[in-house]
Amino acid sequence: MTTATETTTAAGPLDGIRLSFGGVLNSEWIKLHSLRSTMWCLGLVILLSVGFSALVAGVLHLQNPGAIPATNAASLLVQSSTIGVNFTQLVAAVLGVLVISGEYSTGMIRSTFTAVPGRLGAYFGKLIVLAVVVFVVSIVSLGISSLVATGILNARGVNVDLTRSDVLLPLLGGAGYLALVAILAFAFGAIIRSSAGGIAAILGTLLVLPVALQVVAGLTNATWVSNVASFLPSASGGQLYAFVQPNAPAPASGVVALDATTGGLVLAAWVIVGVVIGAVLIKRRDV
Amino acid sequence: MIEIEGLTKRYGPKLAVDDVTFTVRPGIVTGFLGPNGAGKSTTMRMIVGLDKPTAGHALVDGKPYAKHPAPLHEVGALLEAKAVHTGRTAFNHLRALAATHGIPKSRVHDVIAMTGLESVANKRVGGFSLGMGERLGIAAALLGDPHTLILDEPVNGLDPEGVRWVREFCRYLASEGRTVFISSHLMSEMSQTADHLIVLGRGRVLADAPISDVIAGATRRVVRVRTPQVQALTAALAGPDITVTSFDDGALEVSGVDAARIGDIAAASGLPLHELTPVDASLEEAYLELTQDEVEYHSEVTR
């Protein structure tokens, strides 16, 4: 029987180590890029974005392409460059959910929260790494998409200019939209803690809700229903990458029309509410 | 050092851990023993803050685990369920955990070597056997060179060589002055590893003592006696605190008096003895007796 002594262990080489937020960010970056599913998702974002841009720019119906005014040409360029966002948002959403739900389904979350017992550091570390990676990959994919679309439209005789601010801003907005969708999905994943449930919830919010409201609005002809629909994440966030017509007609009275700024703020509000609920639950629940 | 005071965890109507108080001291291996469902894992999870106590608290070296500036340097924990993303390689798993504390990559290689995982370090964890998963869990626990190790069923799924390695490693870590706290539902396992034993049953501490005291205290020692004159010997032995149980095969089990005294009494009465065998209850029996009582007690109360 060994007697208990109040000895402390001898000084080791790791005595200077500290848990730090920088370390947590580094850890989350290692975690994100060391999974194949992440690489598949990010590869798919680039592939879908560029592929759909090339397709749309190639098959757009053009009448007398040489005579299309500059503003309309810019609109065509933005539409064909950002068309892929409709699809890549689904990939960004799936990735956002998996980043956190994958840890719950495998038990990894226990290792994560043992290393970062404050939990919120790991939660926000994950969120930041996810948002930055999705934003950067989206910028790259939209950049390639717009170059491809420019080349194809030019070859078809349309005089397009990629450097116009009303072209560049929607491209930037598209990347911002995808990053925000990924964060919203991440919050859903944190709240629901299951991959299937989280993905179903975010895809339902992005895809099914707008269609359901559209059907109701069409049947009832109620303005308020379509007004509600324009505050959904996909509709409000969609303003971020839409081409702004300089002389667009004013909306009919009583109809809400969001622009890039207000639409972006509405989506940001969704994201903040989701992230705060996720943070409270992450902090409170047992794992 | 782990100090637990009044720790309680309630899941709905069920008390998983019921007002538990004990201290795990450095320099020795402390075994945490109890049947499945006794509340061992829940207690361990509360120490590292994965579960929040309903009442009471757990301190590691004087502070709640989460308040330490380098938690992984304070406690290395291997918790019962697998806690690894199956899609990541063992090396990347350890590297990601190490990164949170700025632990150098060389240490990751060290713990991989210590746990014998070199050949599978770059394989994805999803394909690991139970034993390899257990080794990876131990590697992760060692990553921060912790003062305190909390290992929940560490020999689960290990081959005999791995089991011996864990035992020796735990004793070595304790000899360095670390606090080593390991759980098991097998008494035989604890008897070969632990110096001190905390026995948990139905969420409550049933015993908290050096392992030798647990065996001595929890069991009555009996002496098996055979004699052709059963009735005469039974009468001769009669006394306060002495019980004699007879069995169909003619053997008697006597408790409350030792073998030497039984021999003396028999000789004094002129009774022949054919067998006189002291029977020490095994650790396993001691443990069963402890937890059996607890189960029966609760059954009486609830039904």
Side-chain angles (χ1 to χ4, degrees), chain A:
Chain A
M1 176 69 221
T2 317
T3 47
T5 45
E6 293 291 316
T7 48
T8 48
T9 45
L14 296 181
D15 278 353
I17 61 169
R18 286 283 172 278
L19 174 62
S20 68
F21 190 61
V24 173
L25 285 177
N26 186 15
S27 166
E28 292 301 337
W29 165 238
I30 293 168
K31 281 192 205 168
L32 190 68
H33 76 71
S34 62
L35 285 180
R36 282 190 201 167
S37 57
T38 309
M39 292 305 157
W40 278 109
C41 285
L42 297 179
L44 207 54
V45 165
I46 296 178
L47 203 69
L48 286 174
S49 182
V50 177
F52 275 102
S53 292
L55 187 69
V56 169
V59 302
L60 266 178
H61 178 65
L62 301 171
Q63 255 179 350
N64 194 6
I68 293 173
T71 306
N72 291 9
S75 172
L76 288 180
L77 176 56
V78 168
Q79 281 177 44
S80 44
S81 300
T82 59
I83 183 75
V85 174
N86 293 303
F87 308 97
T88 54
Q89 65 169 339
L90 309 181
V91 183
V94 168
L95 179 63
V97 170
L98 286 181
V99 160
I100 184 113
S101 68
E103 293 217 1
Y104 277 102
S105 62
T106 58
M108 178 68 199
I109 197 76
R110 283 188 284 271
S111 293
T112 300
F113 287 162
T114 305
V116 190
R119 298 188 185 182
L120 292 183
Y123 179 73
F124 285 106
K126 256 184 209 309
L127 187 157
I128 290 169
V129 168
L130 169 74
V132 169
V133 166
V134 170
F135 185 77
V136 168
V137 169
S138 302
I139 280 281
V140 169
S141 65
L142 285 165
I144 300 172
S145 300
S146 61
L147 288 172
V148 168
T150 304
I152 293 174
L153 289 173
N154 272 334
R156 295 183 68 193
V158 187
N159 198 6
V160 291
D161 177 8
L162 184 54
T163 59
R164 292 166 57 115
S165 68
D166 59 357
V167 172
L168 290 177
L169 280 176
L171 294 180
L172 201 65
Y177 173 74
L178 291 174
L180 287 170
V181 164
I183 299 174
L184 185 63
F186 171 80
F188 275 46
I191 293 165
I192 296 170
R193 292 187 291 184
S194 122
S195 300
I199 290 171
I202 188 68
L203 295 191
T205 307
L206 292 176
L207 292 180
V208 182
L209 267 183
V211 173
L213 286 181
Q214 215 171 9
V215 169
V216 174
L219 291 174
T220 61
N221 228 349
T223 312
W224 69 268
V225 178
S226 49
N227 282 348
V228 168
S230 57
F231 282 89
L232 289 175
S234 46
S236 58
Q239 301 303 319
L240 286 172
Y241 58 94
F243 181 78
V244 182
Q245 292 289 348
N247 299 312
S253 76
V255 175
V256 178
L258 300 174
D259 60 18
T261 310
T262 52
L265 287 174
V266 168
L267 178 57
W270 277 91
V271 168
I272 290 168
V273 170
V275 167
V276 168
I277 294 172
V280 169
L281 292 176
I282 283 275
K283 188 79 183 162
R284 191 184 289 166
R285 286 192 294 217
D286 291 343
V287 288

Side-chain angles (χ1 to χ4, degrees), chain B residues 208-262:
Chain B
D208 178 358
I211 200 154
S212 49
D213 292 8
V214 172
I215 313 166
T219 54
R220 0 167 235 124
R221 287 160 188 236
V222 296
V223 181
R224 193 163 61 236
V225 183
R226 282 178 200 273
T227 175
Q229 289 168 280
V230 172
Q231 284 184 343
L233 184 65
T234 307
L237 286 171
D241 301 332
I242 297 175
T243 54
V244 180
T245 317
S246 60
F247 288 85
D248 289 345
D249 64 351
L252 300 175
E253 273 193 5
V254 185
S255 65
V257 58
D258 65 8
R261 183 89 192 100
I262 295 170

Side-chain angles (χ1 to χ4, degrees), chain B:
Chain B
M1 169 125 76
I2 304 169
E3 293 157 283
I4 286 180
E5 210 183 295
L7 203 63
T8 302
K9 181 71 183 181
R10 180 185 288 278
Y11 293 111
K14 186 177 176 284
L15 269 176
V17 177
D18 184 3
D19 194 19
V20 161
T21 299
F22 62 82
T23 300
V24 183
R25 288 165 300 157
I28 57 171
V29 176
T30 301
F32 197 27
L33 186 68
N36 291 327
K40 305 184 299 291
S41 298
T42 305
T43 303
M44 287 179 153
R45 280 203 304 271
M46 284 193 282
I47 297 172
V48 293
L50 292 180
D51 282 2
K52 293 209 172 38
T54 309
H57 61 257
L59 302 180
V60 182
D61 284 346
K63 276 193 225 179
Y65 173 70
K67 298 277 185 249
H68 286 279
L72 288 186
H73 191 39
E74 202 55 50
V75 176
L78 163 72
L79 298 166
E80 192 175 13
K82 261 196 184 176
V84 183
H85 199 299
T86 42
R88 212 170 268 127
T89 66
F91 176 71
N92 280 328
H93 170 68
L94 293 171
R95 202 160 61 99
L97 290 179
T100 58
H101 283 58
I103 296 167
K105 218 185 262 186
S106 58
R107 176 70 186 171
V108 174
H109 288 293
D110 286 352
V111 296
I112 286 174
M114 269 188 240
T115 49
L117 285 172
E118 294 101 327
S119 60
V120 293
N122 289 314
K123 291 209 167 80
R124 295 202 287 163
V125 178
F128 275 28
S129 66
L130 190 57
M132 283 195 285
E134 209 68 15
R135 282 170 186 267
L136 178 59
I138 293 171
L142 293 172
L143 206 52
D145 191 24
H147 300 304
T148 298
L149 271 134
I150 296 176
L151 308 175
D152 196 359
E153 304 271 358
V155 300
N156 215 1
L158 291 181
D159 52 23
E161 187 210 350
V163 171
R164 202 174 66 220
W165 173 77
V166 168
R167 267 184 215 143
E168 283 166 6
F169 199 62
C170 285
R171 303 204 62 84
Y172 167 73
L173 291 167
S175 74
E176 289 186 316
R178 297 177 211 260
T179 305
V180 181
F181 190 39
I182 53 177
S183 80
S184 178
H185 61 281
L186 299 173
M187 183 64 156
S188 51
E189 186 48 48
M190 290 286 103
S191 65
Q192 298 182 66
T193 317
D195 305 296
H196 192 94
L197 210 55
I198 293 166
V199 182
L200 204 67
R202 294 279 179 120
R204 304 199 308 177
V205 176
L206 304 179
D208 178 358
I211 200 154
S212 49
D213 292 8
V214 172
I215 313 166
T219 54
R220 0 167 235 124
R221 287 160 188 236
V222 296
V223 181
R224 193 163 61 236
V225 183
R226 282 178 200 273
T227 175
Q229 289 168 280
V230 172
Q231 284 184 343
L233 184 65
T234 307
L237 286 171
D241 301 332
I242 297 175
T243 54
V244 180
T245 317
S246 60
F247 288 85
D248 289 345
D249 64 351
L252 300 175
E253 273 193 5
V254 185
S255 65
V257 58
D258 65 8
R261 183 89 192 100
I262 295 170
D264 291 349
I265 291 170
S269 315
L271 297 166
L273 292 182
H274 293 175
E275 183 185 356
L276 183 63
T277 316
V279 183
D280 268 1
S282 69
L283 270 172
E284 204 72 51
E285 285 167 323
Y287 162 52
L288 278 177
E289 191 163 318
L290 267 174
T291 50
Q292 195 100 44
D293 289 351
E294 186 63 12
V295 170
E296 282 167 6
Y297 168 72
H298 271 269
S299 305
E300 279 166 21
V301 170
T302 52
R303 286 185 190 124

